[in-house]
Amino acid sequence: MARRRRRLRRPQGTTELVAASAVALAVIVLLVRAAEAGARAALAHWPVLAAIVGVAGVAAAVWWTRRRTATRARLQRLAQLRLSLAGIDALGDQEFEYALRDLLVRDGWSARKVGQQGDQAADVIGRHPVLGRIVLQAKHTTVGAKVGSQVMYQVKGTAGPVHRADVAVVVTNGSFTRDAKVWGDKHGVHWIDRDRLGRWAEHGIALHDLLRLPARTPRRRALGGPAATRRIRREGAHGSAR
């Protein structure tokens, strides 16, 4: 049987009101005296308190300076980042996603790796002050393997409605089927195959220059939408039937 919670009852009658007032007054007096005692202690030991505050301030300044220096050094290293195709081929799936994130940062995007189970066709998400929001789907594979149209359907179906992306890109160190390229070009899903990846990662061409991404205007809506998602699902079903 559940125990009933006790609620404070308001004072009733003159006697209870007087008693409650006396208790409240006593609490206020104790708080005032405690504050006065604290102030006297602070005045008596102000050099110690000042030293503590000074040390804390210096420590905070040193920490902030080191963090800023480390961030600047990392950005400088990334600005010169070059990755060979042979080195990319030797990466694992997770390492490949981190490499794509770093390439985006090199090109001026603020990017983070998000790929994991249930990522809804997004491995890296980036933001750019002019170009908007980008979603990358990474497909690290053997050189001879090809990415099919199904991947393009998935990315198109989630890039806008789920991730609010303005740009969707599928990146592989392999290649794409002809149908995947045609479908991606038609529906605004950019693709980076081995040749383009080499130009981006190894030769240092910025992704937005490689793909000729336009500046995003306030009127431009995120990629896709409910109607676009329904159309993509229908086309994906037709493509699967073929």
Side-chain angles (χ1 to χ4, degrees):
M1 186 175 180
R3 298 179 59 182
R4 297 180 59 184
R5 295 179 60 184
R6 295 184 178 181
R7 297 182 179 179
L8 293 177
R9 182 174 58 82
R10 291 185 178 182
Q12 297 179 357
T14 304
T15 302
E16 291 186 359
L17 287 173
V18 172
S21 301
V23 171
L25 180 61
V27 171
I28 292 173
V29 171
L30 289 175
L31 292 175
V32 171
R33 290 182 178 178
E36 291 176 348
R40 287 194 298 269
L43 290 175
H45 301 88
W46 71 265
V48 177
L49 294 176
I52 293 174
V53 172
V55 170
V58 171
V62 170
W63 175 85
W64 182 82
T65 302
R66 288 181 176 177
R67 181 176 180 181
R68 183 180 179 184
T69 302
T71 300
R72 183 179 300 174
R74 178 175 179 272
L75 291 176
Q76 290 175 349
R77 289 195 303 271
L78 289 177
Q80 302 175 356
L81 178 65
R82 298 292 184 273
L83 299 175
S84 68
L85 288 176
I88 290 175
D89 292 339
L91 298 176
D93 293 345
Q94 296 287 321
E95 294 171 323
F96 183 51
E97 294 170 11
Y98 279 115
L100 297 183
R101 178 204 62 183
D102 290 345
L103 288 171
L104 277 182
V105 174
R106 182 200 70 184
D107 294 345
W109 302 75
S110 59
R112 58 191 175 93
K113 176 189 174 301
V114 296
Q116 58 184 349
Q117 186 176 5
D119 55 27
Q120 300 192 70
D123 293 316
V124 179
I125 293 179
R127 291 179 180 273
H128 192 281
V130 176
L131 303 172
R133 186 177 175 89
I134 191 171
V135 166
L136 300 186
Q137 172 71 0
K139 290 298 179 183
H140 189 268
T141 182
T142 57
V143 176
K146 292 187 176 182
V147 177
S149 300
Q150 188 62 36
V151 174
M152 313 301 273
Y153 305 154
Q154 294 171 352
V155 172
K156 179 68 175 181
T158 61
V162 177
H163 304 294
R164 310 306 302 165
D166 302 289
V167 183
V169 188
V170 181
V171 186
T172 182
N173 60 322
S175 59
F176 291 84
T177 64
R178 179 180 177 278
D179 288 343
K181 291 181 180 180
V182 171
W183 197 93
D185 291 341
K186 180 179 179 180
H187 296 281
V189 179
H190 300 277
W191 48 270
I192 298 292
D193 60 1
R194 187 172 184 82
D195 176 66
R196 290 182 176 181
L197 181 60
R199 293 160 63 190
W200 180 28
E202 196 164 9
H203 298 291
I205 300 176
L207 182 65
H208 49 272
D209 291 333
L210 185 64
L211 299 178
R212 299 180 180 179
L213 299 180
R216 184 175 66 91
T217 63
R219 293 181 181 180
R220 186 183 299 275
R221 300 181 62 183
L223 185 67
T229 303
R230 291 193 294 268
R231 184 179 68 253
I232 292 158
R233 288 175 178 171
R234 289 197 300 270
E235 295 184 4
H238 296 330
S240 299
R242 290 197 300 268

